[in-house]
Each structure stands twice: as C-alpha cells, then as structure tokens.
Amino acid sequence: MSHLSRQKFIDQFVIGLIKSCNVQFCEVAQHLNDAVKPVSNETRIQDFFRETELNYLLLAHLLLGLLPVTGKLRLRVSKSEGQSRG
C-alpha cells in the first residue's frame, strides 16, 4: 500500500470514526466507502491494522495535541458490547 493510499485510508477511517461515534470496525465500515459493501470496508480496516506498523507514541502526541490546554475534561469509559455482565 503506497503512502498516499494509507493517508487516504486514514482520512476515511477518522471520518468514519467521527460519523459512527463508535470504534468497532463493523460500525466504522458503514461510513467508509459507499461504493463497496460494508463487509469489504471492514476487511480493509482489519488488513490495515494487521499490515501497517503504527508509531503509537507519535499518535498519542497527535491526539494529546487536539485536547484543550486548560479546563476540565470528562473521560467516559463504556463496557464493550462483547463483555459479559455480572
């Protein structure tokens, strides 16, 4: 996968994350590429994360840079739909 195609995929993936308000691949896949079936988009997402080596320190810095410098933040954590309750 060329750098340009990776960049385009990451752009689409981030937009899909925002539109779906979800991090589950099957949900993000619904918002990725309308020209193909969602299952194909989900496979593309899985392939990307399986085959691409990410610099998580750089990614963390990028995400922290998006946060406001001052003020309070609210952290929300929810259980995965796959976890059992009890």
Side-chain angles (χ1 to χ4, degrees), residues 32-59:
L32 215 58
N33 180 355
D34 293 336
V36 298
K37 293 180 181 177
V39 69
S40 297
N41 283 331
E42 187 174 355
T43 301
R44 186 174 178 207
I45 294 169
Q46 292 168 348
D47 289 347
F48 175 82
F49 283 101
R50 184 176 31 255
E51 297 169 2
T52 304
E53 195 169 315
L54 296 174
N55 182 335
Y56 289 100
L57 183 60
L58 182 62
L59 184 58

Side-chain angles (χ1 to χ4, degrees), residues 22-27 78-86:
N22 201 314
V23 295
Q24 294 179 333
F25 291 168
C26 60
E27 296 295 327
S78 65
K79 289 184 177 182
S80 170
E81 290 179 23
Q83 289 181 338
S84 63
R85 294 184 178 128

